[in-house]
Amino acid sequence: MSWMAWTLPTAIFFGAIGFSLLVLTLWELKSPTILRKGLLPIATTRGDRFFISLLSAAFIHLLWLGLVDAPVYPATAVSVLVAAGLLKWG
Amino acid sequence: MSYKPQNNRAWLGVLPVLLIVAFSAVVPLMTVINYSVQDILDFNTRFFVGFEWYVQTLNDERFIEAFGRQLAFSFTVLALEIPLGIAVARGIPKNSRLTPLILIVLALPLLIPWNVVGTIWQIFARSDIGLLGVAINAMGISYNYTSEPLHAWLTLVAMDVWHWTSLVALLAFAGLTAIPQPYYQAAELDGASSWQVLRYVELPRLRGVLIIAVLLRLMDSFMIYTEPFVLTGGGPGNTTTFLSQYLATMAVGQFDLGPAAAFSVIYFLFILLFCWLFYQSVVKRDEETP
């Protein structure tokens, strides 16, 4: 695996995504998702909202890195809030 | 009452595909992300640098310019190839002895390797010996794609339209042949014009194939590398340097693997965003259509 050039932060990052997918799978088995329309202009399933949250988080971080010369923790905090909001009301 | 799928064992059938995608896409993408946060001096000497390469790429003027050019190029060729492909498909006779011949001729540009397409157009458009270049100059229009950015752009767009309109035409033709004849007969009885037949009979039933055509062309044009590399080499200056060419210069030419990996991740995210937005907009409109 050394050819993949792992680092601890990226391992934690991928581990978190893998863990989230596992939780979503178990959640799905326990309580299957329903296609519904919330704040987003499209009807979404739980998986859709998770995907939108991840994509949003990526672009929030890119915006922060491109425009602000400061550590990314505020962007991460905003991303978590956006993700929580999207999963709940999206 | 909760809904449960009838047979979850069907998911086992997807496993081989998941494994192939994991090896061909997920693992390489993870590796690129790992590279993007490190300074790679050689494969055994690397240092964690956090988001440094992302900051550098996002503030790199050449990246921003290449990104703008890429958007302009992709949307220009899409705006030309999709209507042109539909028009060509509508012109192909459906039940003629000539139909197979027309389809074969249309498929020919698709069979030519990308570097050969670039070479063909490089010679074809040359102002000293190329048929197109000499013909345009003979009409009194000064044309030289090697020194004029606008000419280089027009030549690139023309080359891409020549190369890929056939794909859209073939897909659209496949969609048109699937429309039952009674639809046309009903339109004829109602006295519909050719435009009305296109608007109300054909386009709604072509939506599926057009989604595929637009997605394929959007992704392909966004990744274009070989043809501009052969035709213009990114010039004059950097005026036809697209994202993939700039990325290749960085990764292969300069061996800057860290910055090139960060560039690749940003590039990938934008392609993912555009495709997802486009897909959603089309699917949404599809659901709204009665």
Side-chain angles (χ1 to χ4, degrees):
Chain A
M1 294 294 273
S2 64
W3 61 271
M4 284 185 75
W6 284 102
T7 64
L8 183 64
T10 50
I12 292 170
F13 170 70
F14 287 121
I17 291 181
F19 180 71
S20 308
L21 290 176
L22 183 71
V23 169
L24 278 175
T25 307
L26 294 175
W27 192 357
E28 180 68 24
L29 288 173
K30 190 164 168 52
S31 147
T33 183
I34 297 161
L35 191 71
R36 68 164 166 79
K37 198 167 177 307
L39 288 176
L40 290 168
I42 49 170
T44 53
T45 63
R46 202 181 288 138
D48 292 334
R49 291 190 290 278
F50 180 68
F51 173 76
I52 296 167
S53 305
L54 284 185
L55 204 55
S56 307
F59 279 97
I60 289 168
H61 280 84
L62 284 186
L63 264 179
W64 183 272
L65 291 169
L67 300 175
V68 184
D69 186 18
V72 291
Y73 303 115
T76 308
V78 172
S79 300
V80 170
L81 288 176
V82 168
L86 280 174
L87 285 169
K88 176 83 178 156
W89 298 293
Chain B
M1 193 178 83
S2 66
Y3 166 79
K4 288 201 173 169
Q6 293 291 311
N7 183 3
N8 278 323
R9 283 184 194 167
W11 287 104
L12 289 174
V14 186
L15 266 182
V17 176
L18 278 179
L19 281 175
I20 292 169
V21 171
F23 278 101
S24 65
V26 179
V27 171
L29 182 64
M30 285 165 80
T31 310
V32 169
I33 292 174
N34 285 343
Y35 274 33
S36 71
V37 292
Q38 296 179 81
D39 192 0
I40 315 269
L41 301 180
D42 62 55
F43 289 112
N44 297 316
T45 319
R46 43 195 168 77
F47 304 98
F48 183 75
V49 294
F51 291 113
E52 190 177 323
W53 302 136
Y54 288 90
V55 175
Q56 182 183 301
T57 305
L58 290 166
N59 291 295
D60 179 2
E61 254 181 50
R62 283 188 68 189
F63 169 78
I64 295 164
E65 285 168 9
F67 188 76
R69 280 193 287 271
Q70 189 72 68
L71 283 178
F73 178 76
S74 290
F75 287 104
T76 304
V77 295
L78 270 182
L80 290 171
E81 286 169 16
I82 300 298
L84 204 56
I86 296 170
V88 170
R90 291 188 84 210
I92 303 172
K94 281 181 190 164
N95 296 311
S96 160
R97 275 189 297 179
L98 282 176
T99 308
L101 181 68
I102 295 169
L103 294 180
I104 289 169
V105 171
L106 268 180
L108 278 178
L110 304 174
L111 300 174
I112 303 174
W114 296 355
N115 51 350
V116 178
V117 170
T119 309
I120 290 172
W121 276 80
Q122 190 194 39
I123 297 166
F124 182 53
R126 267 179 67 163
S127 53
D128 51 352
I129 57 164
L131 180 62
L132 177 71
V134 170
I136 293 174
N137 279 301
M139 286 189 286
I141 303 165
S142 173
Y143 166 82
N144 188 344
Y145 77 89
T146 56
S147 60
E148 288 295 326
L150 178 65
H151 299 169
W153 262 85
L154 291 174
T155 314
L156 268 179
V157 169
M159 177 183 66
D160 200 84
V161 169
W162 175 83
H163 194 185
W164 292 110
T165 300
S166 313
L167 176 75
V168 182
L170 290 174
L171 285 170
F173 182 70
L176 286 175
T177 52
I179 299 174
Q181 205 55 33
Y183 282 88
Y184 288 103
Q185 289 163 350
E188 199 179 336
L189 281 176
D190 289 341
S193 65
S194 176
W195 164 250
Q196 285 169 324
V197 170
L198 172 70
R199 171 72 186 80
Y200 298 106
V201 177
E202 293 176 334
L203 281 183
R205 278 151 199 89
L206 282 179
R207 181 167 288 147
V209 289
L210 289 182
I211 291 170
I212 301 293
V214 172
L215 276 178
L216 281 176
R217 288 308 304 132
L218 178 67
M219 287 186 286
D220 248 6
S221 64
F222 223 81
M223 297 186 295
I224 191 166
Y225 174 75
T226 316
E227 292 118 310
F229 179 72
V230 175
L231 181 66
T232 63
N238 286 321
T239 49
T240 57
T241 301
F242 298 116
L243 285 172
S244 58
Q245 202 172 331
Y246 185 33
L247 175 61
T249 310
M250 203 184 259
V252 185
Q254 302 162 358
F255 205 68
D256 283 338
L257 292 184
F263 188 129
S264 303
V265 173
I266 297 168
Y267 194 177
F268 165 76
L269 283 171
F270 275 101
I271 292 182
L272 189 64
L273 177 72
F274 289 142
C275 289
W276 183 79
L277 282 178
F278 179 76
Y279 180 76
Q280 285 300 333
S281 69
V282 174
V283 168
K284 191 185 169 204
R285 207 184 307 162
D286 209 20
E287 282 165 357
E288 283 169 358
T289 308

